[in-house]
Amino acid sequence: MEIVLSTDEEQSKLEYSNITIREFILLGFSDVPYLHWMLFGIFLLMYLTTLLCNSIIILITRIDPALQTPMYFFLSNFSFVEICYVTVTIPRMLMDLCTQKGTITLFSCALQLCLVIMFGGMECLLLTVMAYDRYVAICNPLNYPLIMNSKIAVQLVAACWVSIIPVVTGQTYQIFSLPYCRSNKINHFFCDIPPILKLACGDTFVNNLAIYVAAVAFIMVPFLLIIASYSKIICNILNLSSAGGRSKAFSTCSSHLIVVVLFYGTAIITYVIPKSNQSESMGKLLSLFYTVFIPLLNPIIYTLRNKDIMVALKKLQTKLLIYGTT
């Protein structure tokens, strides 16, 4: 069948449609080459600090008997997901800063995107489960051992993984089933959904709709559930007659609430709010915030604002000092 092209634009589109992109180029911070080594040092330090802090939280929640509760089981799982999350993005970014190449194969890009949205979605679900745990502990303390025991905690975490994996796999397959023929240069430091879809030459309406639905299901709905939980918690705390009881209840929830505001704030701006008025530089800045800075801040927030963890850290420090002197 002969194809008749009426304009030069149609001819150009036909030529582009025959191009198959097998690799992408992550531009990253190529616009500031004079800052590469400084950024490399800063991000390496932040990555190592994130790994160390989250690993310590996982360690103390495993070895300290006082932290063998559902609350700290969820926190240790959250720290594990944080480690996975930063490991998917930062080492690749460090390598690109070092080599100044940024080349990534189509498969590697798809794998990175899949893991980024999987661990990011898992964080959303875990934060929701942690909010529910605090709701039960403060609003229904007498039935807490029955409602939230170790078996149910394991089942809740398993349910989070089971619900997020098929959705993420389907989203990734759908995105990379599109034809990419406009360019192979991704103006980002990792493979993220918005900059990748900008390179697609096919109709992305269905993809954008699916992404929006998934964002509502895994970002907005959990966020609203967390808001509802903390509304009940705050009302319950304010009704406590003891000032000491109110102070203790607020201290156990404040760190989680700070993390929720930081994480969900950037996630909603990135994946839910329309991107028409958002520049690529702003997109990269927001991505840096939720992929690098927030994972670094989370363990610090949980450590400094949680008395139980501070006590466990002092115990661990004492044991290490005793072990070092023997």
Side-chain angles (χ1 to χ4, degrees), residues 202-210:
D203 185 10
T204 60
F205 173 77
V206 175
N207 299 84
N208 286 319
L209 181 62

Side-chain angles (χ1 to χ4, degrees), residues 9 14 17 32 50 70 73 86 115 119 181 220 238 311 319:
E9 185 179 352
L14 183 60
S17 66
V32 285
T50 302
F73 173 74
V86 296
L115 293 175
F119 292 129
C181 54
M220 289 305 300
L238 293 176
V311 170
K319 288 180 181 179

Side-chain angles (χ1 to χ4, degrees), residues 50-81:
T50 302
L51 291 184
L52 178 63
C53 293
N54 281 291
S55 297
I56 289 174
I57 288 178
I58 294 172
L59 177 64
I60 61 175
T61 53
R62 290 285 188 271
I63 65 175
D64 195 306
L67 302 182
Q68 302 295 313
T69 63
M71 173 183 172
Y72 294 107
F73 173 74
F74 295 136
L75 180 57
S76 66
N77 276 272
F78 187 78
S79 294
F80 170 74
V81 173

Side-chain angles (χ1 to χ4, degrees), residues 317-326:
Q317 184 182 14
T318 303
K319 288 180 181 179
L320 291 174
L321 289 173
I322 296 173
Y323 179 78
T325 55
T326 57

